[in-house]
Amino acid sequence: MPTYLHKLMLMHAAGEKFASTSKLADYINLDPIIVRKDFELTGLKGFPGVGYKTDELIEAIRRFLGWDSPRRVCLVGAGSLGNALLGYEEFAEYGMVITDVFDADPKKIGTRIHGYPVQDVRRLPDAVKKSKPHMAIICVSSRAAQSVVDGLIACGIKAFWNFANICLKVPPDVVVQREVIAGGFALLSMKLKKHSPLFETE
Amino acid sequence: MPTYLHKLMLMHAAGEKFASTSKLADYINLDPIIVRKDFELTGLKGFPGVGYKTDELIEAIRRFLGWDSPRRVCLVGAGSLGNALLGYEEFAEYGMVITDVFDADPKKIGTRIHGYPVQDVRRLPDAVKKSKPHMAIICVSSRAAQSVVDGLIACGIKAFWNFANICLKVPPDVVVQREVIAGGFALLSMKLKKHSPLFETE
């Protein structure tokens, strides 16, 4: 869905009023039937022969993903990964509003990363009580992650996007989306192995 | 699989000779039946009552993922995301050997990132013909990605881990694993929407 959305926004910016399933299917390397089924999930109906109105489809996907209203998000851990995520311009298009950035490193505290001031992680409880983020992005070390998350849960945060290499333990009313960075490398390694059976001998 | 592997390696380092499915299931928040089915895929048989020999299970998962022999990998685009990936220590455990790092920015060329020298991207054809990487990690902008990949394909590289926000066009004998960074944010947004139906009015 984010891939469709990104492409549709580029098409919309280029003045394309209609988006055909076949064009999007071609872009994303998928069968047009799958693309049509994906769009059906949003509840929007296409027009025979021309596809979907680009702006309506953008709105339908946003509604489907819950991106039709701003999502206030704080980020903990302003290392290189946190830095990369703060610099990811598409997030703003998707309704993400960064409220706070925290780190424990005295060298980083007080500096700005992509315009966001880095605050002392010890100020976290006071700061998030004011800014009330809906979600937190966890970019701290796997060792620090659970205690950081426990602290955020105590402040009322119920959704975590976890980039730390650890399975977090959270109460049942809290949702976690975990990113396993090595997962993509595993999938690619398996694809390569299947694709080149003689690869092992190289 | 990478999550099991990471946990198993920590257990192995802590001297745990046997790994029970229930312990791993509890760590990863999954049903033990799913964990057992996952391990079956590797072809390894467990011991009733005690589970698997930790070292044998590590080797079986590695073989299954194609991580039992080194994978030479080059990285193009040493921005903050490239930087984060180069600093990801677990990759070495998984058999990833970084052969080359390239960037187009004169300020970065000649410097070292996490110990890896950054080379001028114009040197790429000569360098990869020598180092013969199996895969390339693409961390350049979405605008530059296709031409960088075309150049790498011309040098014989057949596997790409693509972090650029674009669907690459590649010949049928080339494999691509695309990472959609916003995908996790989309999933978390949907989980949060389902979990807190009153969320929209907050």
Side-chain angles (χ1 to χ4, degrees), chain B residues 155-174:
Chain B
C155 296
I157 295 182
K158 303 247 182 250
F160 294 90
W161 194 9
N162 176 30
F163 287 84
N165 198 359
I166 185 176
C167 294
L168 296 167
K169 298 288 171 200
V170 297
D173 64 333
V174 169

Side-chain angles (χ1 to χ4, degrees), chain B residues 3-185:
Chain B
T3 304
Y4 295 132
L5 189 59
H6 182 66
K7 181 69 179 171
L8 286 165
M9 286 167 94
L10 292 177
M11 288 165 67
H12 185 64
E16 298 183 37
K17 291 204 169 155
F18 285 91
S20 74
T21 356
S22 58
K23 185 174 176 177
L24 284 157
D26 185 51
Y27 171 71
I28 209 165
N29 295 326
L30 280 177
D31 192 300
I33 296 169
I34 295 173
V35 175
R36 205 163 295 127
K37 283 207 182 285
D38 283 345
F39 292 163
E40 267 174 24
L41 293 173
T42 68
L44 193 68
K45 294 246 181 291
F47 298 90
V50 286
Y52 297 82
K53 282 195 182 165
T54 313
D55 54 352
E56 285 184 4
L57 188 52
I58 288 173
E59 278 320 298
I61 293 177
R62 277 189 163 153
R63 248 191 333 267
F64 176 73
L65 295 176
W67 286 354
D68 48 342
S69 59
R71 289 287 171 267
R72 289 188 304 276
V73 174
C74 71
L75 182 143
V76 193
S80 45
L81 181 64
N83 205 305
L85 292 172
L86 290 172
Y88 194 73
E89 289 169 11
E90 281 87 352
F91 283 157
E93 290 175 15
Y94 302 156
M96 186 192 285
V97 178
I98 306 279
T99 59
D100 303 277
V101 175
F102 302 100
D103 202 285
D105 182 353
K107 277 184 214 147
K108 283 180 196 150
I109 296 163
T111 65
R112 278 176 181 266
I113 296 179
H114 295 288
Y116 301 104
V118 181
Q119 302 177 66
D120 189 334
V121 74
R122 286 173 297 185
R123 287 208 52 237
L124 189 149
D126 287 340
V128 301
K129 269 168 206 163
K130 254 190 225 167
S131 58
K132 294 198 178 75
H134 300 109
M135 303 176 178
I137 306 179
I138 306 302
C139 294
V140 301
S141 69
S142 56
R143 216 172 307 156
Q146 185 67 56
S147 73
V148 163
V149 168
D150 291 344
L152 287 160
I153 290 173
C155 296
I157 295 182
K158 303 247 182 250
F160 294 90
W161 194 9
N162 176 30
F163 287 84
N165 198 359
I166 185 176
C167 294
L168 296 167
K169 298 288 171 200
V170 297
D173 64 333
V174 169
V175 289
V176 177
Q177 173 66 30
R178 185 176 171 211
E179 298 299 320
V180 180
I181 308 273
F185 179 54

Side-chain angles (χ1 to χ4, degrees), chain A:
Chain A
M1 286 287 177
T3 304
Y4 295 132
L5 189 59
H6 182 67
K7 181 69 179 172
L8 286 165
M9 286 167 93
L10 293 176
M11 288 165 68
H12 185 65
E16 297 183 39
K17 292 205 170 156
F18 285 91
S20 75
T21 357
S22 58
K23 185 172 177 179
L24 284 157
D26 185 51
Y27 171 71
I28 208 164
N29 296 327
L30 281 177
D31 193 300
I33 297 170
I34 294 173
V35 175
R36 204 163 295 126
K37 283 209 183 284
D38 282 345
F39 292 164
E40 266 174 25
L41 292 173
T42 69
L44 193 70
K45 295 246 181 292
F47 297 91
V50 286
Y52 297 83
K53 282 194 181 167
T54 313
D55 54 353
E56 285 184 3
L57 188 51
I58 288 172
E59 279 319 298
I61 293 177
R62 278 190 163 152
R63 248 192 331 267
F64 176 73
L65 295 176
W67 286 354
D68 48 342
S69 59
R71 289 287 171 269
R72 289 189 303 279
V73 175
C74 72
L75 183 143
V76 193
S80 46
L81 181 63
N83 204 307
L85 293 172
L86 290 172
Y88 195 72
E89 290 169 12
E90 281 88 352
F91 284 155
E93 290 175 15
Y94 301 157
M96 187 192 284
V97 178
I98 307 279
T99 59
D100 303 277
V101 175
F102 301 101
D103 203 284
D105 182 352
K107 278 184 214 146
K108 283 181 196 151
I109 295 164
T111 66
R112 278 176 179 268
I113 296 179
H114 296 289
Y116 301 103
V118 181
Q119 303 177 65
D120 189 334
V121 73
R122 286 174 296 185
R123 286 208 51 239
L124 189 148
D126 288 341
V128 301
K129 270 168 205 165
K130 256 191 222 166
S131 57
K132 294 196 176 81
H134 299 109
M135 303 175 179
I137 306 179
I138 305 301
C139 295
V140 299
S141 70
S142 55
R143 216 171 308 156
Q146 185 67 57
S147 72
V148 164
V149 167
D150 291 343
L152 286 160
I153 291 173
C155 297
I157 296 181
K158 303 245 181 250
F160 294 90
W161 195 9
N162 177 29
F163 287 85
N165 198 0
I166 184 175
C167 294
L168 296 167
K169 297 288 171 198
V170 297
D173 63 332
V174 169
V175 289
V176 176
Q177 172 66 30
R178 183 173 172 213
E179 298 299 321
V180 180
I181 308 274
F185 178 55
L187 289 170
L188 183 61
S189 300
M190 290 178 70
K191 281 182 193 175
L192 188 61
K193 201 179 151 188
K194 272 187 203 157
H195 226 264
S196 338
L198 292 175
F199 179 71
E200 296 309 310
T201 60
E202 272 173 36

